[in-house]
């Protein structure tokens, strides 16, 4: 169910298997310092951030392993490293707009769904590592000076209009970024260790 963000004294939110805790922004610049965890080991609890406002996550010990959904015009700021826990999938946008800003490295994300009406900002040279995902995709707005690291993962990047990309990508030997859409994609950062499959459009790799 919904969890208010003005509790102040809550130290931990434990989510039961298959359940979703909904955090709705109050519009007053909410901060969640509480640790968000699964109720029991091997269970999967999910979180849903929504509401018109900003929610900042400051706990680096979050370990929940279900989905992370961001919509309803909310802007979520992952201010601490691994504030997104061990989430199986980060879903940004969809039925309504949503935004995620990453200020600290996120090492344990297992899937990314950036929808057309979603935005992802990788700030402060932060690294978002996607592990063991076969169906991650980026259809929305991706900005910042950070990078996305794929480990045993597949990611589809779609751009239908020409655009410059300030975020870097890195892949291991078992990962691939597939570029689709008619637009040209210009990589602004230096490219290294990148498996890239071009199926539509064009690439600019002059750095």
């Amino acid at each position: 169910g919904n969890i208010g963000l003005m509790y102040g004294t809550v130290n931990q939110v434990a989510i039961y298997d298959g359940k979703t805790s909904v955090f709705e922004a109050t519009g007053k610049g909410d901060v969640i310092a509480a640790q968000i965890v699964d109720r029991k080991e091997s269970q999967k609890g999910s979180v849903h951030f929504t509401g018109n406002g900003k929610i900042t996550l400051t706990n680096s010990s979050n370990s929940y392993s279900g989905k992370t959904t961001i919509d309803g015009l909310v802007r979520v700021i992952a201010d601490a490293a691994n504030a997104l826990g061990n989430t199986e999938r980060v879903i940004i946008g969809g039925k309504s707009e949503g935004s995620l800003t990453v200020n600290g490295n996120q090492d344990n994300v297992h899937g990314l769904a950036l929808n057309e009406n979603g935005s992802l900002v990788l700030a402060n040279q932060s690294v978002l590592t996607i592990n063991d995902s076969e169906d991650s995709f980026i259809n929305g707005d991706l900005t910042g000076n950070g990078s996305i690291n794929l480990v045993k993962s597949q990611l589809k990047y779609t751009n239908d209009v020409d655009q410059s990309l300030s975020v870097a990508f890195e892949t291991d030997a078992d990962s691939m970024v597939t570029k689709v859409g008619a637009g040209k994609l210009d990589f602004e950062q230096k490219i290294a260790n990148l498996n890239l499959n071009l199926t539509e459009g064009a690439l600019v790799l002059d750095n």
Side-chain angles (χ1 to χ4, degrees), residues 11-92:
N11 294 318
Q12 186 182 83
V13 177
I15 309 170
Y16 282 92
D17 189 33
K19 301 299 182 180
T20 300
S21 289
V22 180
F23 298 86
E24 186 165 356
T26 65
K28 298 180 179 180
D30 304 297
V31 176
I32 301 179
Q35 183 187 29
I36 306 173
V37 301
D38 295 328
R39 180 66 178 83
K40 294 182 179 179
E41 190 175 347
S42 80
Q43 295 187 345
K44 287 189 176 184
S46 298
V47 297
H48 182 186
F49 299 107
T50 190
N52 191 355
K54 180 174 70 174
I55 299 175
T56 301
L57 307 177
T58 63
N59 198 311
S60 61
S61 298
N62 291 341
S63 60
Y64 69 93
S65 59
K67 293 182 175 64
T68 302
T69 302
I70 299 170
D71 62 16
L73 302 177
V74 74
R75 179 190 176 199
V76 175
I77 301 175
D79 225 17
N82 298 320
L84 300 175
N86 297 314
T87 183
E88 67 177 2
R89 193 169 182 83
V90 177
I91 304 166
I92 308 171

Side-chain angles (χ1 to χ4, degrees), residues 140-178:
D141 190 32
L142 176 65
T143 59
N145 61 4
S147 60
I148 292 177
N149 182 22
L150 300 181
V151 179
K152 296 181 179 179
S153 296
Q154 308 294 315
L155 182 144
K156 183 170 70 173
Y157 187 100
T158 302
N159 67 300
D160 293 317
V161 297
D162 294 353
Q163 64 180 226
S164 295
L165 182 63
S166 59
V167 171
F169 284 89
E170 185 171 347
T171 59
D172 67 2
D174 298 315
S175 300
M176 179 74 71
V177 175
T178 298

Side-chain angles (χ1 to χ4, degrees), residues 101-104 121-127 143-146:
T101 297
V102 175
N103 287 332
V121 181
L122 297 178
N124 298 329
Q125 297 182 324
S126 58
V127 179
T143 59
N145 61 4

